[in-house]
Amino acid sequence: MSSTATTRPNGLALFILPSALLFALFFFLPIGLMALMSALTGNPVVMPKVAFTTRHYARMIGDPYYLEVIWTTIRIGLVTTLVALLIGYPLAHWMARIRSRTGHALLLMAVLAPMLTGIVVRTFAWMTLLSDKGVVNQTLMSLGLIAQPLKLMYTETGIVVGLVHIYVPFMVLTLTGVIGRIDERLEQAAENLGASPLRAFLEVTLPLSLPGILAGSLLVFALAISAYVTPILLGGFQIMTLPILIYQQISANFNVGFAAALGIVLLVISLMLVIAYNRALGLVSGQRELQ
Amino acid sequence: MMKALGSLSRRRFLTASASLGIGTIAAPYVARADDPTLRITGWGGKWGEIMKAEIGPAFESEFKCKLQTDSAFPYLPKLQASSRSAPIYDVLHTNSNEQWAAAEMGLVEPKIDPKLVPNLADVYPYAISDKIVGVSIFTSAIGLGMRTDKGYGNVTSWKELWDAKYNGVRGGYVIPVNSLGQAFLMMCGTLFGKGQTDLDAAYTALEKLKPIKIVDFTGAMEKMLLSGEVGLCVIHDSGIYRYDGQNQPTDFVSPSEGVLSLEQVLTITPGSKMKELANAYVNYMLRPEVQKRLAETVWYSPANKKVKLDAKYDAKLLTTPEKVSKLIQVDWKWYNERKDEIDQRVNRIFRA
């Protein structure tokens, strides 16, 4: 009887199996293949003689240009995340605490509305605003405030503006759920004990919302460093990021091995930053590690 | 009658319905199953429209086959990833620089056999020169595009692009990914150095070209010129002439130093199982009537010497040996061997 019970397939395992297989097939296998390609001299499927090599990584380390590109990518990701957090947190707090159901619905619609339009369309909209002949420059020039157009596009600032607009909803939606679950009576208790509303927020609400800050920041950071369309259109190819360089290596240089090595470096950097961010926030929030 | 209906069980009804559904969906594919399929690449836009509406169907009808066109650029990485013995394309249509890279990787046959493509005998020498892999079926002239409503005056030389009055309205390309940008880099070597291969002179000239607005493809440059974002830019003649009749304040300049050629090249893949049909397609694309129709639609200069274009097109396109002699071809084999080094350098030059 007991033998029958132990050999019986676990229902939950069978239920999870299809999604686990899909995950392995579309996540681990591509990353594994990418790691393999980054360490080979060519594609073993179509080339007869392929050997292991470290030349792709050596090229990256040997040329400071690639390190500059990596740093530019990380910098744009970090600034985008910070700005999205600064804009998103007050909005998320307002949405979580608003009493009116209509008000909440309107705010939610305002946050979600931009997501109904494609990233390309939204980026083109920013181009019409920020270009030399765009709305901003033309307005300022017609008012006589500037004589020459301001350089709003083809800069890192332009890219960050576009990315923040695209990714703020991800931050807001993540934070709203977390802030909404924080018991308001805790803040009231702090205020009853003499804390100012600002101190109550800083010492009660903010630490309790750290898991939301962590989740939202990681989401926005991951999306920002892997963004392709917005940096290419608003950066005008004058700001080189890793995704642009990877695409360039595949589409124009046909160097899949080097592109794979760049991809692996992007992945490793992201993982390292995620771990470091996780630990730092854990320390700040007084926990050993955020799970 | 009632009995007959009564004998139709639920299982039979479902089986019959499923068979009918599958049959309906599969019918067009079954009907076409006997037709051989030629897999090609091709551009979108006007080119894609006329190929889909006229040129392609006429070929299919004459050769009893099906044309399957991939117009989702870039083509070469896809060909690179496919098996050599069963390539994703039978005929590769792309620009000359990529054709050279494909030939170097053994992805396309370097030459077309004139015995199998008789119309090859009628093409201008540039179309099958030693600078070309396969055959160039059309070419555009890369020169300068300018706004005519800004009072810039008469532009006659490439060197005027360096004039300080174009600061802020100068247009160029992302050299690592754009054929026009790469050809222009070689022209910089000719203009300011010892020749196309004088890279140091070219890099110095490119440094002096800043500030410049750079784009990745010609369609984007056309839009920037039309909107006035740029006033003088590197562009191919088709990118200006295609707006003929729309009263746009733009014009194409053929600089006195010569125009660079932007060839539309066809090659056949070595592993193609449709070699005969592939050669027939190349020959078909070189037919005078096909060349004329395409040239007058997309403003490409035909490679076939026998093509007689209407006066409007003949006046502007490269349709005589004298006009064709102005074309400067780039040594793409030489360029591709140094592409990584060039890309690293120009990426540095044009970063903000």
Side-chain angles (χ1 to χ4, degrees), chain A residues 50-78:
Chain A
V50 170
F52 281 101
T53 179
T54 55
R55 73 173 184 217
H56 302 306
Y57 292 98
R59 179 180 168 188
M60 221 181 304
I61 295 162
D63 191 334
Y65 175 71
Y66 298 113
L67 302 178
E68 286 169 34
V69 171
I70 291 168
W71 172 234
T72 305
T73 311
I74 294 171
R75 191 170 57 234
I76 288 173
L78 290 174

Side-chain angles (χ1 to χ4, degrees), chain A residues 63 68 132-133 238 253-254, chain B residues 80 213 344 348 351-352:
Chain A
D63 191 334
E68 286 169 34
D132 287 359
K133 299 276 177 190
Q238 293 172 40
N253 294 55
F254 321 114
Chain B
Q80 197 182 5
K213 289 172 179 167
Q344 283 178 37
R348 278 192 174 90
R351 71 181 160 187

